[in-house]
Amino acid sequence: MLSTPLTVPGALRAAAHRSGQQEALVDGAMRLSYAELLAAAEEAARALIASGVRPGDRVAIWAPNGGRWAVAALGIHCAGAIVVPLNTRFRGSEAQHVLTTSGARLLFTVTDFLSTDYVALLGTPPPALAEIVVLDGPDREGTTSWSTFLGRGVAAPEALPDVGPDDISDILFTSGTTGAPKGAMLRHGASVRAYTAWSDVVGLRDEDRYLIINPFFHAFGLKAGILASILKGATIVPHPVFDVPSVMRMVDAERITMLPGPPTIYQTILDHPERSQFDLSSLRLAVTGAAAVPVEMIRRMRSELTFKTIVTGYGLTEATGIATMCRHDDDPETIASTAGRAIPNVEVCVIGSTGQRVPAGDAGEVVVRGYNVMAGFYGDPTATAEAIDAEGWLHTGDIGVLDGAGNLRITDRVKDMFIVGGFNAYPAEIEGMILHHPDVGQVAVVGVPDHRLGEVGRAFVVPRAGAAIDPARLIEWCRTEMANYKVPRSVEVVDALPLNASGKVLKYELRARGAARLT
């Protein structure tokens, strides 16, 4: 039986009551105890209320991992509003889509991250967006500074609203296989239950110091990072950029014990020529996945580094980010080759083309049912009905195999998704954006193997009649129109795309052709 209230504000208040003087958040000069973090979040909540935000309103955050990101998000929750995170790699049109679709009333953002001014990138704000608050960086015309914004909360006497377990806590936008990204609505209660289970399996404790390199705009960084730390009273140490030398410096300086991430980060640390210059002996916990995990890497993490617990897992945004996990006592082969077993009180099975369960060892579509399944796609009941069937099963679109012990192995994607350095890339979305180029007549995008990122996109392009396409220039055009992980790393100009009898592109032929170019 959970002793923690089944809401994010309830979990934060419980942590402040239980571990008030424990260090909660470290970001440069910002060092807050749990009591101070609660006070900061409630101050931000009162400022939101004074700004006109009401329970159920959507409030967006478009910024890199940082202390103010966490305070703003927790303030949104305490105000009874809904957090809408935006991917920091989005271009202006992509951000406009999320802000417009969600009807966000207020946006927290930055103006100087990696030489990018997100206010300038956004351009004209959508009509529903009443205010832009700058968390970090110079103010811009028409924006409000963080300090000015917080000043409203100091003077605001309003009591904070009650928040319930069934209330929506976040809307996380996940790209569909057709059309533009859709917003998965996640509940407070489901989030707290799922990441209490996640934290218990991982063995997260109140003395842990958690370097969160996974982006806060993703379920891993937001739920398995900020929320899991609050649930267990661990110290949140945000890290804004994936850069291995800076990660090693932070592990050394802050005595980091918890370091989740994609396999590439551990492989790079293990092979880094400067590794011996840093004291990494505090490392204890690792959670990885989202790409193939070499067995030898798991062994080296235990023998050459000091990790005691290494687990892998599988999840998707529509399932509050988590569905299966390995356990800490699984052998290296199980950890490397599977995504583990269903978390408690969640069902995971594999079905055939007619919807029947298939025997252990046979491949089929992975479906998930339980409290962790999203409430639906925001404002899109048709897409919701397509994703969640009448019996409550979430159809993931992934192909997998369950072994006799219930361990899941993901083998393919039903709808051609590929993963670029831990980010899901959806060909249909990328193709739709490339078709806006005036010289492109047809395009098909597939994932091909990449040593560093696992997979990257390769675009096969048929020019419009009379047009000529330069692959390098098309790639550069893509970099201005879409997030970097979506940009094809190579372009092949072709006279025609391979089609089957019904006119559908034969993606498997293109994947084979793309992979062959690498050998």
Side-chain angles (χ1 to χ4, degrees):
M1 186 72 179
L2 283 169
S3 58
T4 301
L6 284 172
T7 67
V8 176
L12 178 58
R13 289 171 185 133
H17 176 75
R18 184 181 64 245
S19 310
Q21 299 312 306
Q22 167 76 16
E23 198 164 48
L25 179 62
V26 172
D27 182 19
M30 177 188 288
R31 289 184 176 265
L32 302 179
S33 68
Y34 266 100
E36 291 167 334
L37 179 58
L38 173 61
E42 290 186 337
E43 179 183 38
R46 288 191 293 273
L48 284 162
I49 294 170
S51 302
V53 172
R54 297 294 177 259
D57 283 349
R58 279 76 60 206
V59 178
I61 309 178
W62 192 19
N65 289 11
R68 288 181 176 175
W69 202 115
V71 170
L74 293 169
I76 296 166
H77 288 317
C78 288
I82 298 169
V83 175
V84 181
L86 274 70
N87 191 321
T88 54
R89 302 186 183 202
F90 275 175
R91 311 307 294 175
S93 62
E94 295 166 306
Q96 285 274 0
H97 170 76
V98 170
L99 293 171
T100 300
T101 302
S102 67
R105 177 179 175 81
L106 187 147
L107 169 67
F108 292 104
T109 191
V110 296
T111 55
D112 63 350
F113 176 58
L114 298 180
S115 302
T116 299
D117 181 340
Y118 287 112
V119 174
L121 197 60
L122 178 63
T124 303
L129 192 66
E131 187 172 13
I132 298 175
V133 176
V134 177
L135 293 173
D136 284 297
D139 296 342
R140 296 287 180 258
E141 184 179 354
T143 67
T144 303
S145 70
W146 175 245
S147 59
T148 299
F149 167 77
L150 285 182
R152 302 170 188 165
V154 173
E158 292 93 339
L160 299 180
D162 292 330
V163 178
D166 292 331
D167 291 340
I168 303 301
S169 57
D170 327 87
I171 300 176
L172 303 189
F173 275 76
T174 177
S175 297
T177 55
T178 58
K182 299 183 291 292
M185 297 184 289
L186 308 182
R187 300 179 179 92
H188 278 271
S191 299
V192 171
R193 287 184 67 186
Y195 288 93
T196 297
W198 185 92
S199 301
D200 288 343
V201 169
V202 172
L204 190 65
R205 304 193 296 244
D206 60 0
E207 65 264 33
D208 280 316
R209 300 177 67 79
Y210 189 157
L211 187 66
I212 307 179
I213 61 172
N214 300 93
F216 286 168
F217 62 75
H218 190 279
F220 204 135
L222 181 59
K223 304 291 186 181
I226 295 173
L227 178 56
S229 297
I230 290 169
L231 289 167
K232 294 299 181 180
T235 303
I236 300 165
V237 186
H239 199 68
V241 180
F242 176 73
D243 172 72
V244 168
S246 67
V247 167
M248 292 191 293
R249 281 193 294 273
M250 286 297 293
V251 170
D252 187 339
E254 292 293 337
R255 309 309 299 146
I256 299 298
T257 62
M258 172 67 155
L259 180 64
T264 50
I265 187 171
Y266 307 113
Q267 195 72 60
T268 306
I269 289 173
L270 285 165
D271 297 333
H272 202 282
E274 298 175 5
R275 191 182 92 194
S276 62
Q277 298 178 20
F278 302 95
D279 181 359
L280 309 181
S281 62
S282 58
L283 291 172
R284 186 176 72 84
L285 304 176
V287 181
T288 191
V293 181
V295 176
E296 184 58 26
M297 186 191 80
I298 300 294
R299 294 194 177 104
R300 290 183 65 195
M301 288 171 68
R302 287 176 170 165
S303 63
E304 298 181 32
L305 299 173
T306 57
F307 288 106
K308 301 295 188 295
T309 298
I310 305 166
V311 299
T312 51
Y314 164 76
L316 63 161
T317 303
E318 295 91 332
T320 316
I322 187 67
T324 71
M325 292 185 72
C326 287
R327 302 327 194 238
H328 65 86
D329 54 354
D330 284 340
D331 59 67
E333 287 75 15
T334 299
I335 294 170
S337 63
T338 81
R341 302 168 291 290
I343 62 173
N345 301 307
V346 167
E347 297 175 84
V348 175
C349 74
V350 173
I351 61 173
S353 58
T354 60
Q356 82 287 2
R357 295 195 187 204
V358 301
D362 287 359
E365 184 181 11
V366 179
V367 293
V368 178
R369 182 167 67 179
Y371 69 84
N372 60 327
V373 172
M374 65 175 178
F377 290 118
Y378 182 77
D380 198 338
T382 301
T384 300
E386 292 172 354
I388 305 171
D389 66 27
E391 296 182 348
W393 289 101
L394 171 66
H395 291 250
T396 69
D398 289 326
I399 295 292
V401 175
L402 287 170
D403 66 18
N407 293 301
L408 177 67
R409 179 167 55 89
I410 301 296
T411 60
D412 204 348
R413 287 99 186 180
V414 172
K415 299 165 184 174
D416 299 322
M417 181 193 85
F418 54 97
I419 300 176
V420 182
F423 291 93
N424 293 352
Y426 295 86
E429 181 192 5
I430 299 169
E431 290 161 0
M433 300 174 83
I434 293 176
L435 284 171
H436 287 296
H437 190 285
D439 294 333
V440 174
Q442 300 175 54
V443 60
V445 175
V446 297
V448 297
D450 180 81
H451 176 71
R452 186 172 68 89
L453 295 172
E455 294 173 289
V456 294
R458 181 174 180 84
F460 294 83
V461 178
V462 179
R464 288 188 180 182
I469 292 176
D470 177 74
R473 289 186 177 181
L474 181 58
I475 290 171
E476 284 304 309
W477 180 88
C478 289
R479 292 191 189 283
T480 68
E481 298 296 319
M482 62 188 77
N484 184 54
Y485 68 92
K486 300 177 187 177
V487 175
R489 297 309 196 267
S490 58
V491 170
E492 182 173 340
V493 179
V494 296
D495 293 329
L497 299 173
L499 307 175
N500 66 11
S502 62
K504 292 184 178 179
V505 178
L506 297 173
K507 289 287 185 80
Y508 67 89
E509 285 192 12
L510 295 179
R511 279 194 289 269
R513 190 191 306 180
R517 297 287 191 275
L518 304 175
T519 59

